[in-house]
């Protein structure tokens, strides 16, 4: 009996988040977090009113609303950095995005500005937009995935 050579180990599978989630989904989450950050500011300011100015001080609201605001603040910052990479924002734009969370309600102002100036539009085929190859023999068809179950920019070319 001869010993069989050892089987090669299976390659380590990595999960590429850039390819798994399309850019349009990141933009939608970022816009939602911009609004949520402004709402959390309003809640935090309300809690501060009840802690410092109300006749019956209630400090627990600042603790609760402060924690919510902090979590949303961090999420908005992470999403801003993600869009910086995906949408190829310049350094001044990403700095304005990160700094817009500091003054109350400025995340919404920055989001509106980014939308109006086209900073939230992404070109198909950018990093994170998965391309799928479909078709039979003689047809080279590539579709770019925009969202869940959506396709945009079908390109077909007959190969001879």
């Amino acid at each position: 009996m001869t010993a069989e050579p050892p089987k090669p180990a299976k390659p380590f599978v990595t999960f590429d988040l850039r390819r798994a989630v399309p850019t349009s989904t990141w933009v939608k989450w970022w816009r939602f977090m911009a609004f949520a950050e402004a709402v959390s500011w309003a809640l935090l300011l309300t809690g501060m009113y009840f802690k410092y100015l109300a006749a019956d001080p209630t400090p627990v609201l600042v603790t609760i609303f402060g924690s919510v605001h902090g979590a949303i603040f961090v999420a908005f910052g992470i999403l801003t950095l993600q869009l910086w990479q995906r949408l190829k924002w310049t350094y001044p734009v990403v700095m304005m995005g990160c700094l817009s969370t500091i003054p109350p309600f400025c995340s919404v102002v920055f989001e509106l500005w980014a939308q109006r100036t086209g900073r939230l539009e992404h070109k198909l085929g950018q990093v994170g937009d998965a391309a799928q190859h479909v078709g039979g023999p003689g047809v080279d068809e590539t579709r770019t995935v925009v969202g869940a179950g959506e396709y945009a920019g079908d390109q077909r070319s007959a190969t001879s």
Side-chain angles (χ1 to χ4, degrees), residues 54-120:
D56 186 25
T58 311
V60 72
L61 292 178
V62 172
T63 305
I64 295 168
F65 295 152
S67 299
V68 170
H69 175 70
I72 293 173
F73 173 86
V74 170
F76 183 76
I78 290 170
L79 289 171
T80 300
L81 295 176
Q82 186 64 237
L83 290 187
W84 172 36
Q85 175 193 14
R86 291 174 163 271
L87 300 177
K88 309 293 188 234
W89 283 351
T90 61
Y91 288 111
V93 172
V94 76
M95 289 307 296
M96 285 188 334
C98 290
L99 293 175
S100 71
T101 60
I102 296 171
F105 313 113
C106 284
S107 61
V108 172
V109 173
F110 178 74
E111 186 269 329
L112 290 172
W113 174 82
Q115 181 67 36
R116 289 184 182 150
T117 58
R119 301 256 184 335
L120 297 180

